[in-house]
């Protein structure tokens, strides 16, 4: 586009500056010098520079603030909105609004009137809302708030003069669904100055109809009761695919609700993501009924991927003075410029472009729904399989009908689990599934929702995310592929949880910790056998052992994940085991955990005992050396202790005394003399302990088979011939004469002294600590005899 063709040079300059600013802000390739400037400044506020800065420096600062913490964020990268050309038009609208606001009043009035009338006409025709007016607002709840004020002004004629005094005679009542977004009722009451008793939450169906729709029969009874008690039923808020709430995308029975509102002279307001489908050629009858409502709120920014465009509330009302009193219209031309970004964006996209974007989002939902029908253990919950723009699904395994096809059950009826804890487990697993899918396929925009009847589910709402994230068909296919990979992991983990619990409970030294909110195989704790220790010391020992146990398990070459659990709310001093596959050997896993825990505990106890023995040995060595020193003084005599006389006496008659010391033998646990060391001029090696005995129950593995993995071969895969040949090989191995190394005693493996067994145990306990295993097991607690010669 050539800005030189523009007559107004200010508009041309504005367009060029916007393009340059967007290119600079969207440029993620930063140089090292820019990184250094960014990290030195960070987010610390500084003084305002007196000389001022140019536009490039200011935009560079904005870019640093936008992207400054990307390298320091977690592995889940933050995804910015995909701002295209239509987004640039919306951003340009804000700049133009500031420029247009400085025009003279007459030109400003004509321009704003044209912008407002064009945008309102386009939206009413696009979404089949005839003879409607539009209110543009930044907060999506502000439109409903203005509508409530309009209805209050309409139903209470003296409200303009009397104010809140007229509400005492007949208290107004606003009805909202129990599935409405959190805090909506309280926000309305706070802004309107009404008590919370003016807000009535209508439950959803419990017996007949969809469990996500408002109970019309119960609503009728509530309205009758309020009218009989002297209250005034004022307004009803219905849902057409709950977009702001953790809903399943269901639409209330708008036709029946409209009849009920006409019966009691109430106002019907509708909001929801399904209203976007009104722009398509085919619209379901439940959503089409929204065109007859009194008002509706549209969020075009998320539907079309337009940044910083206002939400729109379309309404029908004949009295413009009441609309002005309620704040739906304004006499200030500047406030009418809110529609300018939307006016520019709608013209850029055109009617076909808007319909194509909404149609593309619906096709993405249909593509995912068709693929989910062919997956086992996946339950879907949609309102209309032909046109539902929201797909909600969850992982669920039928226990009562395992022999049947899991997806043969009706998709609308998700059965409740047999066991009370089962739903909690499924909620945890679906929470993990949703987080994994969102991390693996961020362009899909899936999120985790909590439904009242089905529990935790995964929601795919492309109308709210596809235009922003740029979701395509291949992203949906990638999402399905990731889901296919995660389903076997979920089923295997769910099936092996009970076996793991039983194995842990049968194993001595392990305690099974029931943690329903942990998405994995389970939680186990090694129980420490305390010997009369206080609680604080026992807690520290327990923490030390389980921490060391976790470290050793992570050092093993396995595919399992071991951790300390969640950062908040988890059990302390436990080992959390993550998701597993079907080839997991649970018994081997539990046995390894118990054996490793016992080894750590024994090593800890041996180190404590060795410390006590060494301390006593040092005390005994000090006593013996003190006694030896006294004996040396008696041998040398009194004259040799005198400074001058001792030198002369030692010159005529030198006194030869062998140095005496003590060495502590860790193997025998006794003190020995060092005379043999000085005679042989070498330190004695003592008795070499036998090697640390290894477990004879070590499982033989196939080449490339990892630990905790069992062979997936069936039990009849090994034929009798292979079994006989294996026995023959064992007999041949037994008939072979034993090969002995020179100097090796044959009875070494059968007999052994008690001292050697203790040494072997000691080597196993200290092999990973400070005492090497290939040297002598004697420590130098040695004191030399010193003569005081002067």
């Amino acid at each position: 586009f050539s800005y030189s063709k523009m007559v107004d040079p200010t508009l041309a300059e504005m367009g060029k500056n916007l393009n340059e600013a967007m290119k600079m802000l969207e440029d993620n390739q930063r140089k090292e010098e820019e990184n250094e400037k960014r990290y030195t400044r960070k987010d610390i506020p500084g003084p305002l520079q007196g000389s001022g800065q140019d536009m490039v420096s200011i935009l560079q600062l904005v870019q640093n603030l936008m992207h400054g913490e990307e390298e320091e964020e977690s592995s889940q990268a933050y995804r910015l909105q995909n701002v295209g050309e239509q987004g640039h038009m919306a951003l340009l609208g804000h700049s133009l609004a500031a420029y247009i606001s400085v025009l003279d009043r007459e030109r400003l009035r004509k321009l704003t009137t044209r912008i407002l009338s064009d945008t309102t006409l386009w939206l009413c025709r696009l979404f089949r809302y005839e003879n409607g007016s539009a209110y543009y607002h930044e907060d999506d709840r502000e439109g409903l708030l203005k509508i409530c004020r309009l209805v209050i002004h309409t139903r209470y004629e003296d409200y303009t003069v009397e104010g809140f005094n007229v509400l005492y005679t007949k208290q107004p009542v606003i009805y909202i669904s129990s599935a409405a977004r959190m805090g909506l009722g309280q926000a309305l009451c706070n802004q309107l100055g009404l008590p919370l008793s003016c807000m009535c939450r209508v439950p959803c169906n419990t017996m007949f109809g969809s469990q996500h729709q408002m109970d019309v029969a119960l609503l009728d009874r509530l309205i009758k009761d309020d009218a009989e008690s002297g209250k005034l039923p004022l307004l009803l808020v219905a849902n057409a695919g709950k977009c702001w709430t953790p809903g399943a995308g269901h639409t209330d029975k708008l036709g029946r609700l409209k009849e009920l509102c006409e019966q009691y002279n109430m106002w019907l307001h509708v909001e929801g993501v399904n209203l976007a489908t009104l722009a398509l050629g085919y619209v379901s009858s439940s959503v089409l009924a929204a065109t007859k409502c009194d008002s509706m709120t549209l969020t075009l920014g998320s539907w079309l991927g337009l940044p910083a465009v206002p939400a729109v509330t379309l309404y029908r009302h004949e009295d413009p003075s009441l609309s002005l009193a309620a704040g739906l219209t304004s006499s200030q031309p500047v406030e009418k410029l809110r529609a300018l970004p939307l006016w520019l964006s709608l013209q850029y996209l055109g009617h076909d472009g808007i319909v194509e974007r909404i149609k593309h989002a619906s096709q993405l939902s249909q593509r995912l729904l068709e693929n989910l029908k062919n997956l086992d253990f996946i339950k879907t919950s949609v309102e209309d399989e032909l046109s539902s723009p929201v797909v909600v699904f969850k992982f669920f395994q039928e226990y009562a009908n395992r022999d049947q096809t899991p997806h043969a059950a009706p998709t609308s009826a998700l059965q409740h689990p047999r066991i009370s804890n089962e739903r909690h487990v499924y909620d945890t697993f679906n929470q993990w599934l949703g987080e994994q899918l969102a991390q693996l396929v961020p362009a899909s925009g899936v999120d985790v929702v909590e439904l009242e009847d089905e529990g935790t589910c995964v929601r795919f709402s492309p109308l709210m995310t596809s235009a922003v994230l740029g979701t395509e068909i291949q992203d949906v296919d990638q999402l399905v592929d990731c889901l296919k990979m995660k389903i076997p992991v979920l089923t295997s983990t769910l099936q092996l949880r009970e076996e793991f619990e039983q194995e842990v409970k049968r194993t001595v030294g392990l305690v099974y910790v029931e943690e329903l909110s942990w998405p994995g195989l389970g939680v186990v704790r090694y129980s420490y056998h305390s010997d009369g220790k206080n609680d604080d010391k026992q807690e520290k020992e327990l923490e030390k052992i389980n921490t060391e146990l976790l470290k050793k398990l992570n050092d093993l070459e396995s595919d399992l994940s071991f951790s300390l659990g969640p950062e908040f709310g988890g059990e302390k001093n436990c080992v959390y085991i993550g998701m597993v596959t079907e080839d997991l050997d649970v018994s081997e896993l539990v046995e390894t955990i118990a054996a490793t825990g016992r080894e750590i505990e024994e090593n800890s106890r041996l180190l404590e005992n060795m410390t006590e023995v060494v301390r006593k040995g040092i005390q005994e060595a000090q006593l013996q050396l003190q006694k030896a020193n006294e004996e040396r003084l008696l041998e040398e005599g009194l004259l040799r202790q005198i400074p001058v006389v001792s030198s002369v006496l030692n010159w005529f008659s030198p006194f030869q005394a062998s140095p005496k010391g003590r060495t502590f033998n860790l193997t025998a646990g006794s003190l020995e003399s060092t005379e043999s060391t000085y005679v042989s001029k070498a330190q004695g090696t003592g008795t070499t302990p036998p090697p640390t005995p290894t477990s004879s129950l070590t499982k033989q593995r196939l080449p490339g088979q990892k630990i905790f993995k069992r062979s997936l071969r069936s039990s009849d895969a090994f034929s009798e011939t292979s079994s006989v040949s294996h026995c023959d090989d064992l007999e041949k191995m037994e008939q072979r004469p034993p090969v002995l190394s020179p100097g090796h005693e044959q009875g070494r493996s059968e007999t052994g002294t008690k001292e050697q067994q203790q040494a072997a145990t000691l080597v196993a306990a200290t092999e990973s600590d400070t005492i090497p295993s290939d040297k002598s097991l004697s420590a130098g607690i040695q004191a030399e005899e010193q003569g005081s010669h002067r």
Side-chain angles (χ1 to χ4, degrees), residues 254-270:
L254 300 180
R256 182 71 181 91
L257 293 178
K258 179 58 180 176
E259 296 176 358
L260 198 62
C261 289
E262 291 178 351
Q263 179 183 351
Y264 292 99
N265 194 18
M266 295 173 56
W267 186 284
L268 178 60
H269 179 81
V270 182

Side-chain angles (χ1 to χ4, degrees), residues 512-739:
Y512 179 79
V513 180
E514 187 175 11
E515 186 71 27
L516 300 178
S517 59
W518 172 248
L521 184 63
V523 184
V524 64
R525 176 191 292 124
Y526 183 81
S527 60
Y528 176 69
H529 303 285
S530 59
D531 298 332
K533 298 181 179 180
N534 54 27
D535 295 339
D536 295 339
K537 190 172 183 180
Q538 182 179 353
E539 185 72 17
K540 292 181 180 179
E541 291 292 339
L542 182 64
E543 180 181 1
K544 181 180 178 181
I545 291 177
N546 283 277
T547 303
E548 185 66 22
L549 174 61
L550 176 64
K551 181 180 178 181
K552 288 185 175 295
L553 291 176
N554 284 323
D555 291 340
L556 299 176
E557 295 182 358
S558 66
D559 294 334
L560 300 182
S561 62
F562 303 94
S563 64
L564 293 174
E567 185 177 359
F568 303 102
E571 294 286 339
K572 295 182 179 180
N573 304 328
C574 296
V575 176
Y576 287 74
I577 306 174
M579 293 289 179
V580 299
T581 54
E582 60 180 352
D583 57 349
L584 174 68
D585 194 337
V586 178
S587 59
E588 182 185 0
L589 171 62
V590 176
E591 180 183 354
T592 303
I593 295 175
T596 307
R598 286 193 296 267
E599 178 185 355
I600 296 173
E601 181 182 2
E602 291 174 0
N603 293 345
S604 178
R605 290 189 175 186
L606 285 175
L607 288 175
E608 291 180 0
N609 296 336
M610 185 173 61
T611 302
E612 184 66 20
V613 171
V614 171
R615 186 182 63 81
K616 293 181 179 179
I618 293 175
Q619 294 177 354
E620 184 179 354
Q622 290 177 348
L623 295 177
Q624 294 184 10
L625 291 176
Q626 184 179 2
K627 185 177 180 181
N629 191 26
E630 294 175 356
E631 294 177 356
R632 181 183 60 81
L633 292 177
L634 294 177
E635 291 179 2
E636 292 180 355
L638 181 60
L639 294 178
R640 294 184 183 271
Q641 310 306 320
I642 302 175
V644 180
V645 178
S646 61
S647 301
V648 178
L649 188 59
N650 289 333
W651 184 74
F652 284 104
S653 175
F655 180 79
Q656 300 293 336
S658 60
K660 296 181 180 180
R662 296 293 184 271
T663 179
F664 184 71
N665 192 335
L666 294 178
T667 305
S670 60
L671 289 173
E672 298 177 359
S673 177
T674 59
E675 293 183 2
S676 59
T677 302
Y678 287 98
V679 171
S680 60
K681 304 298 183 181
Q683 187 175 1
T685 58
T687 305
T688 303
T692 304
T694 58
S695 175
S696 59
L697 301 177
T698 303
K699 182 178 178 181
Q700 295 183 356
R701 306 186 185 281
L702 299 175
Q705 183 179 1
K706 292 187 177 182
I707 191 173
F708 308 139
K709 297 291 185 181
R710 66 169 184 267
S711 177
L712 295 180
R713 300 174 183 175
S714 58
S715 58
D716 56 349
F718 298 95
S719 60
E720 297 180 359
T721 306
S722 61
S723 302
V724 173
S725 62
H726 181 65
C727 295
D728 294 340
D729 294 339
L730 292 178
E731 292 179 359
K732 292 179 181 179
M733 292 293 294
E734 293 177 356
Q735 293 176 1
R736 291 181 182 177
V739 180

